[in-house]
Amino acid sequence: MRSRTHRYSLAVIILLTLGGAAFSRALPFAYGLIQGSCAPWDGPAVAITLTAEPAQCDRVKGPYISMGVWRGLPIHAGQTVKFGSGSDAGFASRCANEGDCQRAESGTIVFEKYEEGTGARGSYELHFKGGETVKGNFDAQWCKTRAICG
């Protein structure tokens, strides 16, 4: 009887450990919003917000990934945007909540599909301090907002 209790206890511990590991992995940021935005110098840009769950244009809850592209506009299907040291094409940040973000050191955004006013689909790979890489695919719906730059 005691042996059976040990086996059950061991099985429960293993299941809890495996379950905890599954929850500690990075969330897939597969949902997205995309809209017109402003570059740091007030020129035109495109802002992309990726979330783990569907979001609304006027309300995004953390965690999320925020990306911006301001070089190579207008964006077109098949375009690859790379940013990082020596590049001023855009940026990406990983955010736990608004105002609690970590900027990526470098990254790549590939637009498989892009239709202004409709949405975009593609993939991303972001590199953070300490060697961590976050990558995945996204499907972003267009948010009809007006960005007034300048």
Side-chain angles (χ1 to χ4, degrees), residues 37-84:
S37 185
C38 300
W41 58 88
D42 287 335
V46 172
I48 305 165
T49 304
L50 304 179
T51 60
E53 298 178 3
Q56 296 177 350
C57 291
D58 59 347
R59 209 174 326 141
V60 175
K61 297 178 184 175
Y64 62 92
I65 291 177
S66 176
M67 299 187 293
V69 176
W70 44 72
R71 296 282 189 214
L73 300 180
I75 295 172
H76 60 275
Q79 183 172 345
T80 298
V81 176
K82 294 184 179 190
F83 57 89

Side-chain angles (χ1 to χ4, degrees), residues 21-150:
F23 286 115
S24 67
R25 282 185 283 159
L27 293 172
F29 296 98
Y31 299 95
L33 306 171
I34 186 167
Q35 61 192 15
S37 185
C38 300
W41 58 88
D42 287 335
V46 172
I48 305 165
T49 304
L50 304 179
T51 60
E53 298 178 3
Q56 296 177 350
C57 291
D58 59 347
R59 209 174 326 141
V60 175
K61 297 178 184 175
Y64 62 92
I65 291 177
S66 176
M67 299 187 293
V69 176
W70 44 72
R71 296 282 189 214
L73 300 180
I75 295 172
H76 60 275
Q79 183 172 345
T80 298
V81 176
K82 294 184 179 190
F83 57 89
S85 181
S87 169
D88 189 25
F91 81 98
S93 294
R94 175 178 49 190
C95 305
N97 288 300
E98 191 168 336
D100 182 13
C101 300
Q102 177 188 14
R103 190 85 164 223
E105 292 184 328
S106 63
T108 303
I109 307 167
V110 178
F111 291 93
E112 296 168 12
K113 173 190 153 203
Y114 182 87
E115 290 182 49
E116 189 163 333
T118 302
R121 183 178 64 244
S123 60
Y124 60 93
E125 183 171 318
L126 311 175
H127 305 280
F128 293 89
K129 190 174 182 178
E132 185 181 0
T133 298
V134 175
K135 60 184 177 178
N137 299 311
F138 65 90
D139 192 359
Q141 70 178 8
W142 194 270
C143 292
K144 294 175 179 27
T145 60
R146 293 186 75 190
I148 301 173
C149 306

